[in-house]
Amino acid sequence: MAHLIAPSILAADFLHLKEGIDIVNNSNADWLHIDVMDGHFVPNISFGLALMPAFKSGCKKTKDVHLMISNPDQYLEAFVYEGADVLTVHYEACDHLHRTVQRIKELGAKAGVAINPHTSVDLLDDILEEVDVVCVMSVNPGYGGQKFIYQTLPKVRKLRAKLDERNLDALIEIDGGVGMQNAESLLQAGANVLVAGSSVYKSKNPVETIARLKNIGQV
Ligand code: DX5
Ligand code: ZN
């Protein structure tokens, strides 16, 4: 499967939000990555449900919602109703992860589970069958523009081996500090979805940057 590119709208210019969304609409980006932060699970507050109608009506591509919030169960229904196609919760924020994942799928969205940099992929062994996307955080969640943590690479390799060994088709998404400097190694390690915030939106030509990320490995 060709890899997917998911620009993170967190890095866009909020004064021109539609332009940020159109970069995804009018490029070969696959997903729009939407970072929701609550100031509790992570130190920062970004935006929440209030912006979802704008993403739903303005973006024609897959809306990939990354919930960096405590008690995500409380909001699953609302986010799916407001247009989340992929809804990702954090392993560290869920006491009953299996139930949460089932609920997301019942609501009709793809279910994602994100793990922080300190969380071992082994902890997902008993949920891998159920999830559509595993989001491996390559920075500590909370802020855009942080430095990529290299320990992510062996984690991705390990997770890829587990999925292949068990013949599972969950996608591996990498989130944080991703750009041209590490995208190829991540793909070689087995990643399927690259989230890219600053490297896309802070670049001179975001559409071209997306195309370059998308074309890695194509001959
Ligand atoms: C971090 C967020 C990321 C972030 C990525 O908490 O989950 O999605 O926006 O931004 P960059 O690519 O700038 O690290
Ligand atoms: Zn994210």
Side-chain angles (χ1 to χ4, degrees):
M1 189 198 97
H3 63 275
L4 309 178
I5 306 300
S8 168
I9 198 70
L10 185 67
D13 177 358
F14 289 169
L15 201 53
H16 304 282
L17 191 55
K18 183 63 166 72
E19 284 172 27
I21 295 172
D22 278 340
I23 285 169
V24 168
N25 284 332
N26 304 323
S27 65
N28 46 8
D30 301 277
W31 294 359
L32 176 71
H33 186 82
I34 299 168
D35 285 310
V36 176
M37 303 178 184
D38 67 351
H40 184 265
F41 177 68
V42 289
N44 195 15
I45 300 177
S46 56
F47 46 75
L49 274 170
L51 283 192
M52 286 301 295
F55 299 135
K56 189 180 182 180
S57 66
C59 180
K60 57 186 185 198
K61 297 196 178 169
T62 298
K63 266 74 67 192
D64 172 36
V65 177
H66 178 192
L67 293 181
M68 286 162 275
I69 65 174
S70 305
N71 295 321
D73 295 308
Q74 212 178 322
Y75 298 98
L76 302 178
E77 193 168 349
F79 274 98
V80 174
Y81 179 79
E82 296 292 356
D85 302 296
V86 180
L87 190 55
T88 295
V89 295
H90 265 262
Y91 170 87
E92 301 83 4
C94 295
D95 288 330
H96 305 284
L97 185 60
H98 187 277
R99 178 184 289 149
T100 305
V101 163
Q102 295 308 329
R103 181 72 185 136
I104 294 171
K105 294 195 292 186
E106 249 170 50
L107 289 165
K110 300 269 185 222
V113 172
I115 53 171
N116 280 339
H118 74 277
T119 301
S120 166
V121 295
D122 292 337
L123 293 168
L124 300 178
D125 278 350
D126 295 326
I127 194 84
L128 281 182
E129 254 86 9
E130 314 295 330
V131 303
D132 298 300
V133 178
V134 178
C135 177
V136 180
M137 293 303 301
S138 37
V139 297
N140 286 292
Y143 303 93
Q146 300 182 82
K147 206 167 153 261
F148 181 82
I149 297 172
Y150 270 88
Q151 179 57 21
T152 308
L153 276 169
K155 286 177 79 173
V156 175
R157 282 187 208 110
K158 193 174 186 187
L159 180 58
R160 170 51 56 209
K162 285 175 189 285
L163 292 171
D164 288 354
E165 190 185 313
R166 290 161 64 178
N167 218 357
L168 297 174
D169 56 7
L171 299 176
I172 303 181
E173 178 177 48
I174 312 301
D175 187 8
V178 175
M180 284 306 288
Q181 70 289 357
N182 50 23
E184 190 164 1
S185 336
L186 285 164
L187 295 171
Q188 277 165 3
N192 307 103
V193 187
L194 302 179
V195 174
S198 316
S199 67
V200 164
Y201 283 105
K202 310 289 188 219
S203 70
K204 272 218 176 72
N205 186 337
V207 169
E208 195 183 295
T209 305
I210 292 166
R212 287 173 64 209
L213 288 167
K214 183 75 182 173
N215 289 337
I216 293 171
Q218 313 277 322
V219 217

